[in-house]
Amino acid sequence: GAGVSQTPSNKVTEKGKYVELRCDPISGHTALYWYRQSLGQGPEFLIYFQGTGAADDSGLPNDRFFAVRPEGSVSTLKIQRTERGDSAVYLCASSRDGLGSTDTQYFGPGTRLTVL
Amino acid sequence: GDSVTQMEGPVTLSEEAFLTINCTYTATGYPSLFWYVQYPGEGLQLLLKATKADDKGSNKGFEATYRKETTSFHLEKGSVQVSDSAVYFCARNTGANSKLTFGKGITLSVRP
């Protein structure tokens, strides 16, 4: 069975540009999460989807960040007017239903974003 | 708010040494607790978890016990191997929607 996949694995862009990062969760998982991991730190929560809707976007740092999951499967994280401080590894995770404290998240390999 | 604190690293051990990595969490709600591991060049993998007080999670010779009285979830292994060299993250969820709060992680290096 396939795990969580993310594309691209690496993305280099220039300051001010727009980027999209894609996440393909485990088939059948209704919950999907985005995290950001800066060098030497643990992952930090960005946004959580339950099906097609964003149930919790409290971790998005500002309005340059936006994420969608239109069909309840694949999700795209969109960053406008990128800044050097956005450079990090962006991780996606999925879980079966996200509704119980025993639910387990499975992580993708991440997209390493570098903003020059 | 929710937080997780891990001991400072890095940690370097000789093969077959005993390992303890400390982790404490804020006592809000009724979280599940997790240890994730990141091997060199790989993604985050769940190592073990515990969902309620006094539960013990175990996997690959690693163990951690959910201690509500000390708000701790320390990771232990009786005899480490070179292949255990990795970054270890302690985490808790919020209980409401399972979003995870991670500690900073600690790098373990095991020398032959």
Side-chain angles (χ1 to χ4, degrees):
Chain A
V4 178
S5 62
Q6 293 185 245
T7 55
S9 56
N10 279 284
K11 176 70 176 178
V12 179
T13 191
E14 294 179 343
K15 181 175 177 296
K17 298 291 188 182
Y18 168 84
V19 297
E20 291 189 350
L21 312 179
R22 176 188 167 109
C23 172
D24 210 328
I26 293 172
S27 178
H29 280 190
T30 60
L32 185 145
Y33 305 80
W34 285 98
Y35 294 84
R36 180 167 70 174
Q37 186 175 14
S38 300
L39 192 63
Q41 302 293 319
E44 294 180 320
F45 170 76
L46 295 176
I47 187 169
Y48 156 61
F49 285 90
Q50 182 59 252
T52 60
D56 183 351
D57 64 357
S58 61
L60 294 178
N62 51 59
D63 61 5
R64 296 187 297 106
F65 288 74
F66 190 71
V68 295
R69 195 186 184 200
E71 297 178 357
S73 179
V74 171
S75 176
T76 304
L77 179 66
K78 308 180 181 193
I79 310 174
Q80 298 178 321
R81 304 183 304 280
T82 52
E83 299 177 357
R84 293 195 180 89
D86 298 336
S87 297
V89 176
Y90 289 81
L91 298 172
C92 177
S94 72
S95 68
R96 189 181 62 242
D97 56 30
L99 297 177
S101 64
T102 60
D103 200 44
T104 297
Q105 294 180 34
Y106 299 90
F107 283 80
T111 294
R112 182 176 298 278
L113 175 66
T114 302
V115 182
L116 301 177
Chain B
D2 298 340
S3 68
V4 173
T5 303
Q6 291 186 232
M7 59 184 278
E8 294 288 325
V11 173
T12 301
L13 296 173
S14 296
E15 203 165 26
E16 299 184 1
F18 182 82
L19 169 72
T20 300
I21 301 177
N22 289 344
C23 170
T24 57
Y25 64 95
T26 49
T28 51
Y30 302 93
S32 291
L33 303 173
F34 305 83
W35 277 99
Y36 278 84
V37 59
Q38 193 167 33
Y39 296 104
E42 298 185 17
L44 272 174
Q45 301 175 24
L46 178 66
L47 180 60
L48 54 83
K49 70 177 186 180
T51 59
K52 60 183 187 297
D54 300 325
D55 268 4
K56 178 185 283 187
S58 61
N59 186 26
K60 298 182 180 181
F62 291 89
E63 292 183 340
T65 301
Y66 191 140
R67 302 282 189 203
K68 190 175 178 183
E69 64 276 10
T70 55
T71 63
S72 65
F73 192 55
H74 304 324
L75 183 68
E76 296 182 337
K77 186 173 185 181
S79 176
V80 294
Q81 306 300 312
V82 172
S83 57
D84 294 327
S85 298
V87 182
Y88 292 81
F89 294 92
C90 185
R92 60 159 287 166
N93 64 10
T94 64
N97 65 14
S98 298
K99 71 179 182 185
L100 295 171
T101 299
F102 286 86
K104 287 189 174 183
I106 187 169
T107 300
L108 170 66
S109 298
V110 181
R111 55 179 182 239

